[in-house]
Amino acid sequence: MKQPQPRPAARTSPEGRPAPAALESVHQALRVLEVVNRCSSGVNLTQIARETKLPQLVLARAVEQLVRASLATPVGPDAYVAGHTLLLGETDGAAGRGHLRETLAWLRDAVGAAVYVARYTDGEVAITQYADGPATPVVEEWVDFRVAAHASAVGKALLAQLDHDDRRDHLARHRPTPFTRHTLTSRHVLFRQLDERPPGTPLLDLQEYALGTVCAAVPITAGPNPECVALSIPVPDPGRLKQAARILQSEAAAVLLALIVAGSTRPTVRRPEDTILSTSA
């Protein structure tokens, strides 16, 4: 398999900030996938555990993610071979993108809300993918998301991954505006909230962008640009948002795996012991 050369963390990543939980989960899944892909006749969980040194529960979760993404296929009791989407990035880009759309549609149904993938690129917030439906409408973009980073869950999840200077630069270009009575406009308070939240905790928008809509977002950055996966619920229901955000957080790694398969992003931040499987392997 082709292993990309390690590169330093993106300039916009705050120094010393832990990798997002979704990224850590993907690294674990990719370590499992490397073992599975190397054993063309199949490999059992005992051998995978021996080679990856992952704890039993972590290994089970990683295998579940790979099977769901069709990157690994069961061939017997606790035995697996590489799945059919492993080489989609090389052989069929359209199929890889189709797999990403299917993953987002599955996540939309799992959380019961519209879901989005966003990226911070060229100094701006951009929605790059989304999945909605008749019962799960997207949020009405009554104000351009590019100027609403301080008020949206998507924007907060991306700002949380920028360093202090880049955050200040962004908010100097897009001054915090009170879109609703709930909108936070203090840069000092916003930065403190972003820095003091526990790693992996979803970022929330509690009617800060639009009255009647609540949102949650989880960082999933793996490449040079901050990324996140998010959801929006068109009713201010704290209980429903909490449950949906919990599912979003647990399944964020599946979205990142799908992005890697589709060639939309590539992992570049890793621990020395992690081996990253290139989608062009």
Side-chain angles (χ1 to χ4, degrees):
M1 290 185 297
K2 182 179 178 182
Q3 179 178 335
Q5 294 298 315
R7 291 186 287 175
R11 178 181 63 88
T12 54
S13 297
E15 186 175 355
R17 183 178 297 279
L23 179 56
E24 177 67 14
S25 181
V26 166
H27 283 173
Q28 293 162 348
L30 291 177
R31 289 162 66 188
V32 173
L33 184 56
E34 182 183 18
V35 177
V36 173
N37 189 61
R38 188 170 66 245
C39 303
S40 58
S41 60
V43 59
N44 60 35
L45 289 178
T46 301
Q47 179 65 24
I48 297 173
R50 184 180 300 118
E51 295 197 31
T52 62
K53 296 181 173 58
L54 291 174
Q56 185 176 358
L57 291 178
V58 173
L59 176 58
R61 177 62 173 163
V63 170
E64 178 188 358
Q65 290 171 342
L66 293 175
V67 170
R68 182 181 298 157
S70 297
L71 292 169
T73 300
V75 292
D78 295 333
Y80 301 86
V81 295
H84 75 276
T85 64
L86 180 59
L87 301 180
L88 285 180
E90 176 188 11
T91 61
D92 192 344
R97 292 187 293 273
H99 174 67
L100 174 59
R101 289 192 295 271
E102 290 175 0
T103 299
L104 293 179
W106 176 88
L107 182 58
R108 174 201 62 203
D109 295 341
V111 300
V115 296
Y116 316 77
V117 175
R119 178 179 298 160
Y120 194 80
T121 180
D122 296 328
E124 301 293 351
V125 173
I127 304 295
T128 60
Q129 313 280 342
Y130 70 91
D132 64 344
T136 55
V138 295
V139 63
E140 180 184 356
E141 191 178 0
W142 74 282
V143 175
D144 195 317
F145 285 134
R146 289 176 294 183
V147 302
H150 64 289
S152 67
V154 160
K156 292 179 185 179
L158 298 177
L159 289 177
Q161 301 173 70
L162 302 183
D163 62 28
H164 186 78
D165 289 341
D166 284 338
R167 289 178 190 170
R168 288 178 59 88
D169 173 73
H170 182 90
L171 294 182
R173 290 182 288 108
H174 303 298
R175 302 183 69 84
T177 301
F179 301 126
T180 76
R181 63 179 181 274
H182 304 290
T183 306
L184 179 65
T185 58
S186 168
R187 298 182 188 182
H188 175 73
V189 176
L190 174 62
F191 289 3
R192 187 178 68 228
Q193 288 184 358
L194 297 180
D195 291 333
E196 292 181 354
R197 74 180 182 90
T201 303
L203 284 299
L204 303 179
D205 159 16
L206 302 177
Q207 303 187 79
E208 298 167 57
Y209 175 76
L211 291 176
T213 298
V214 292
C215 307
V218 177
I220 59 169
T221 299
N225 300 105
E227 290 179 283
C228 70
V229 58
L231 62 85
S232 66
I233 299 176
V235 290
D237 184 341
R240 183 178 169 191
L241 177 63
K242 182 178 180 180
Q243 180 181 15
R246 186 181 301 116
I247 298 172
L248 182 75
Q249 183 177 8
S250 67
E251 300 300 339
V255 176
L256 184 47
L257 279 171
L259 286 167
I260 293 172
V261 170
S264 298
T265 190
R266 292 178 182 273
T268 60
V269 182
R270 64 186 180 94
R271 302 175 306 174
E273 68 268 30
D274 284 337
T275 299
I276 300 302
L277 177 71
S278 168
T279 55
S280 62

